[in-house]
Each structure stands twice: as structure tokens, then as C-alpha cells.
Amino acid sequence: MPANLPRRQVLRTAGALGLGAAATGALQTTAAAAGSPDRVAAMGSPHGHGRLEIRKDPFGTTPEGVKVEVYTFTNGRVTISMLTWGATIQRVETPDRRGRTENISLGFDNLPDYAALSPYFGSTIGRYGNRIAKGRFTLDGQTYQIPVNNGENALHGGTIGFDKKVWKAKVVQTDKAVGVAFSYVSPDGEMGFPGELTTTVTYTLDKRDNLRIDYRATVAGKATVVNLTNHVYFNLAGEGSGSIDGHVLQLNAPSYTPVDAGLIPTGEIAPVAGTPFDFNKPTRIGKRIRDDHPQLVIGRGYDHNFVLGKADSDGLRFAARFWEPEEGRTVTVHTTEPGAQFYSGNFLDGTFQGIGNKSYRQGDAFAFETQHFPDSPNQPNFPSTVLRPGQTLTSTTIYSFGTK
Ligand code: GLA
């Protein structure tokens, strides 16, 4: 899809979508919540871009008859497509150093493939990102069981997580940014989790090529545990273009959380210094990925939670920067979250083709899932993921696209 959208299908205002005054009010609130625009702008491209535009198209229908839409929003340079299925990032089109635009995110062009095959490509993940040991935890004296879906453990919220739900969508458009606020209400007991959880995740693209994700959640009735993230997979040379071994990574993490054979944290917070997990200086991902390190053997590569460096006064911290030296694309991540799962696409096995009809094999993409640490509900020394009635969870992650 070209970066410049056909005019007649472009939705410019909340009014064009048939949203009322209440919706417009919500848009203003979101813009105010977007924080320091200057700070955010400084993370992205130095160039100003074109008009902010958004459109909505049909994408498919679930077997239950629910319609799924694709929203496509652009600043004239970066173009992002998102589905109401799983509040999923379907495409991310960015220019390379020479101005050639390509889709850098793994995905599919149809709903049945998302439903049947997707290893969380671009999905919004909930209620609990990454693993809970044996799918079990105890909160306020009560033990809860999440259906296990990854060996003996629960992964990404159990068998039917937020990635497989159809979310409500509301266009967000200000003079600075454009995007979609997705919301989903998870009933008390869904996937075994306590409390009714109301989640809104707002994805906005600004004029400086920053894709900002604002998470917000509240729970009613009972306390619960929550760990929200997005599982976008990138290959900065273009989706389906082969290995990411040559990408250079800088990761602001003094330590990481080693795992057992089921990829559950042992509870240890291990320093990265002197190990293949030290990316504090920019290093090629492939340089040490096959080293004889027990954690790399267990993970079949990198599939670990990194403990990020301290946050700045506004709560955000520089987390990571990925750079593909040949075409020059970069993605820089800032987050308010204390951790991030750096996953080197180890379980991609070439058994299906994605949106560009290419097979995705082991190591053909990376994901960088900002998060609280895996299995926190069972790990007393990890930052808490408990959310109680009356509290509001807020969390922000920004992916900034550029070239170098
Ligand atoms: C996370 C996990 C990986 C893998 C992917 C999804 O990144 O840590 O082990 O399960 O999700 O395929």
C-alpha cells in the first residue's frame, strides 16, 4: 500500500467516522496524555513529514460472524496497518536510507491465517505477557489456574488471550498524531484470571515517526495480575528477507533473568557483563548467538527478559536500538516498563508463508516485548504485576523509526 492514501477513503476527523462529542472529548484526553511532545519528537526522525491520515477497511469475518477491520494510518512517510483482531500491528512500512519503503513487520494478509497460524505476529498481548509457571498463581489467599498452552506453562494469557479477541476501535486524531484506541473488556474468570479487566491500548503515530503505545487497565470486583505488551516482529531489511543475524543491537540492560528448560525465570537477576547477553555496546545479534552458553542453548538463541536501566524523570527509559546496516533502517525503543523480552525468532520454522509469500525461518525476525518480568505472580523478588480495584495501570512504549 502506498504511503499516500487515496483521498476519498481518508477519514480526517472523528466526525467522519460518525463519532459523537463524547468521542471527540476522548480524543482530546488522549492527546493530553501523550506527554511531552518535544521529548517524543526528539526520539524520531529529524524531518517533518506530510499530513496525518487514517482510513478504515474491512479485513474479514470471524467464524462467529464478527466483522474485523483494518485501520491504516500514515504521516506520509511511515504507514502502519492495524487490525481490530488482537489489536494487531499488521504492517509497518518505513523508508530505508535511500528512501525505498518496505514493510518491516511479519504478518499475514488474511484473517484465517492470523487465527490459525500466528505466533503472536504484531498482537497486543494480555492478560499476562510471557509465561506463568504451570499457569498457576496465588493472590489474596486464592489459587488461580490459567489453561496451559506452552508445555506445562501458560504463555501470553493462556489458550485464548487478548491476541484472539476482536477489540473495539476508536480513531484518535490530533494535529500532532494519528492512530487508534483499542479497548476490550475481559470478564471475571476469563482464562481463569480474577476480576473484570477493562483495557485500552492506544496506538498513535506522530509526525516524527514515533509509534507510541499507551496501555491503560482497571479491574473491577477482585484484584488480578496484568502484564500487557505488543509482540510485533521486525526484520529491518524487510519482512521475509532472511536472517536478522546482521542487525546491530544496543540494549540498555545491566542484567537479565535466566530461565529453566521451560523458559521460566529461576528468580535470579544475573549481570550481563562478560556474557553474550551484554549488548550495552552496539553488537551484531548473530555475533554470539551460537556461543556455548547454557542460556543460549535453552532458549535456542535469545528469548530472555532483560532488566532495563533506570527510567528518566518522565518515567521513560531508553531500552534498545536495532540497526540494519545495509539498508540503514533503525528502530529505537523507549518504555516505562522495567523489562523487555528480546526474542530472536527462534521458534519460526519455515512451515508457513507470511504476507509477502515468503517462509519465515528461525532467526528471520526479532521481537522486543516491553513488559514486567515473566512469572512475576510466582516470583516475590520481581516488580509486582498485581492490579487492585481502584488502581489504574498505565504504561507507555514508543517505537521510533529512522535511518542511519
Ligand atoms: C515470546 C516467548 C517465546 C515465544 C514467542 C511466541 O517471545 O518468550 O518463547 O513463545 O513469545 O512465539
Side-chain angles (χ1 to χ4, degrees), residues 102-106 235-242 247 327 329 364:
E102 249 173 306
N103 173 28
I104 59 169
S105 133
L106 275 56
N235 183 319
L236 299 182
E239 159 279 328
S241 69
H247 285 41
E327 299 187 17
R329 288 191 189 83
D364 280 359

Side-chain angles (χ1 to χ4, degrees), residues 119-120 130-131 150 155-156 231 233 263 303 341 343 347 369:
Y120 308 96
N130 212 279
R131 293 174 179 80
N150 188 251
L155 176 68
H156 298 327
H231 205 310
Y233 290 65
L263 301 183
D303 190 356
Q341 188 83 6
Y343 171 57
F347 297 112
E369 307 145 64

Side-chain angles (χ1 to χ4, degrees), residues 10-19 27 54 171 173:
V10 168
L11 308 170
R12 287 191 194 292
T13 61
L17 262 190
L19 304 175
L27 302 186
I54 183 162
V171 165
Q173 187 155 24

Side-chain angles (χ1 to χ4, degrees), residues 24 44 58 72 80 109 133 217 335 396:
T24 314
T72 301
I80 301 199
D109 64 1
T335 187
T396 297

Side-chain angles (χ1 to χ4, degrees), residues 252-267:
N252 172 24
S255 46
Y256 74 113
T257 52
V259 287
D260 67 16
L263 301 183
I264 296 294
T266 59

